[in-house]
Amino acid sequence: MKIISSIDELRDQLRGQLRTVFVPTMGNLHDGHLSLMRLARKHGDPVVASIFVNRLQFGPHEDFEKYPRTFAADIDKLEKEGVYVLFAPTEKDLYPEPQEFRVQPPPDLGNILEGEFRPGFFNGVTTVVLKLFSCVQPGVAVFGKKDYQQLMIIRNMARQFALPTQIIAAETYRAEDGLALSSRNSYLSETERAEAPVLFRELNTIADEIRSGNLDISLLQNKAMQCLKDRGWHPDYVAIRKRIDLQPPTAGDLAQNEPLVTLAAAKLGATRLIDNLEV
């Protein structure tokens, strides 16, 4: 595996490749990330991964400085997965001058849910993803469904900018007890780790209720929020939305069996967890 930090060197290495498939990450790789690499191999060759902790998507009081960085271990994992190039730029490599040009997602998608509780987050995500796409120039890029809203925003961005990159969605990779794998899971204490699967169980409870005909969306959301609070969580939101645009479903939408997704974000101790489940 070639490890490259320079944009020019990366472009030289990939010149002439027409089926490059790309998996961007922030490192601290786990089995969920590695499943993305395996899915990527089915959609192109060579596989290029990136590791870059993007300062632009962290708020002033978020965990940029303490975000787990495990570069040596990450290299070993990527080599075992047959990744051809690891693009690992420094901040000076990717942002040699202040990144004053930014991508601004539309408010009706970028300022809701995660965007409401993490202002500027999707601005930072879309800006770095567009720049990484410019560096790698992939035909295909793979993103996980765990970050459901992020996936939708990136897919819409690629379409509206007519980028020559197909966005492939990978199913959320879970531990045996249902917890969605995340780099931030390493922050959880032993007791918190045992409690963490409750978030996914609440999403399943909502899904079961909807499938059984209970379409009182507000009641289902509030009930799940209260359950989490009663167990010591600090939820930001539990929201039942339309898959197509993440807007709240109307009575007409529900009557026509509009495909739905339930999304949640909540703090357990100091760790903020997110998850979702399509209904």
Side-chain angles (χ1 to χ4, degrees):
M1 181 177 73
K2 296 175 173 61
I3 302 172
I4 296 173
S5 61
S6 158
I7 295 174
D8 288 340
E9 186 181 346
L10 177 72
R11 287 176 173 161
D12 286 343
Q13 184 67 47
L14 296 176
R15 185 167 287 114
Q17 299 284 0
L18 302 178
R19 300 180 61 244
T20 300
V21 57
F22 179 45
V23 185
T25 83
M26 292 207 301
N28 192 31
L29 304 181
H30 50 65
D31 286 344
H33 291 112
L34 302 183
S35 73
L36 302 183
M37 307 299 162
R38 292 189 284 273
L39 179 60
R41 277 207 308 274
K42 297 178 180 179
H43 290 275
D45 180 67
V47 175
V48 177
S50 67
I51 293 177
F52 181 70
V53 183
N54 176 41
R55 187 185 297 271
L56 297 186
Q57 69 194 64
F58 287 79
H61 303 294
E62 293 185 337
D63 58 344
F64 174 78
E65 296 297 341
K66 69 172 186 174
Y67 191 86
R69 293 161 170 86
T70 54
F71 193 65
D74 294 345
I75 289 172
D76 289 341
K77 292 174 181 177
L78 293 175
E79 285 183 330
K80 290 175 182 175
E81 292 299 330
V83 170
Y84 175 62
V85 168
L86 168 60
F87 181 44
T90 65
E91 284 192 283
K92 287 186 178 180
D93 288 316
L94 202 59
Y95 302 131
E97 59 184 285
Q99 188 65 39
E100 295 169 339
F101 285 87
R102 304 287 183 95
V103 180
Q104 181 63 56
D108 62 347
L109 185 56
N111 292 350
I112 62 173
L113 302 171
E114 284 298 282
E116 177 183 351
F117 288 92
R118 300 184 68 187
F121 171 66
F122 289 121
N123 177 294
V125 167
T126 50
T127 298
V128 76
V129 168
L130 184 61
K131 191 154 193 179
L132 288 169
F133 282 3
S134 175
C135 297
V136 178
Q137 299 181 19
V140 174
V142 178
F143 292 83
K145 277 190 179 181
K146 185 181 78 71
D147 299 290
Y148 201 91
Q149 186 177 6
Q150 172 180 283
L151 169 65
M152 179 175 288
I153 286 174
I154 290 169
R155 183 171 273 160
N156 289 359
M157 177 186 75
R159 185 186 69 251
Q160 289 197 11
F161 279 119
L163 302 180
T165 303
Q166 179 187 5
I167 308 299
I168 299 291
E171 296 297 327
T172 301
Y173 198 97
R174 299 184 181 278
E176 288 187 6
D177 59 8
L179 177 65
L181 296 197
S182 168
S183 297
R184 288 187 170 96
N185 289 354
S186 61
Y187 297 157
L188 296 169
S189 69
E190 186 175 344
T191 302
E192 291 166 347
R193 175 61 186 82
E195 171 68 16
V198 167
L199 187 64
F200 187 52
R201 292 209 293 270
E202 283 302 307
L203 298 183
N204 275 283
T205 297
I206 290 173
D208 290 343
E209 289 282 341
I210 291 173
R211 291 178 188 129
S212 67
N214 182 355
L215 300 179
D216 190 334
I217 300 302
S218 180
L219 176 64
L220 293 174
Q221 293 173 159
N222 292 338
K223 189 175 179 181
M225 290 275 285
Q226 191 58 52
C227 178
L228 291 170
K229 289 177 183 177
D230 290 345
R231 298 182 67 97
W233 294 68
H234 298 279
D236 285 341
Y237 60 83
V238 176
I240 301 167
R241 299 296 174 94
K242 295 185 292 181
R243 290 187 210 175
I244 191 170
D245 58 8
L246 296 188
Q247 296 303 305
T250 65
D253 293 327
L254 297 173
Q256 295 174 21
N257 296 316
E258 175 75 28
L260 303 175
V261 58
T262 303
L263 309 101
K267 275 191 174 180
L268 182 58
T271 306
R272 188 175 184 273
L273 301 178
I274 66 170
D275 206 344
N276 65 80
L277 181 63
E278 293 178 332
V279 182

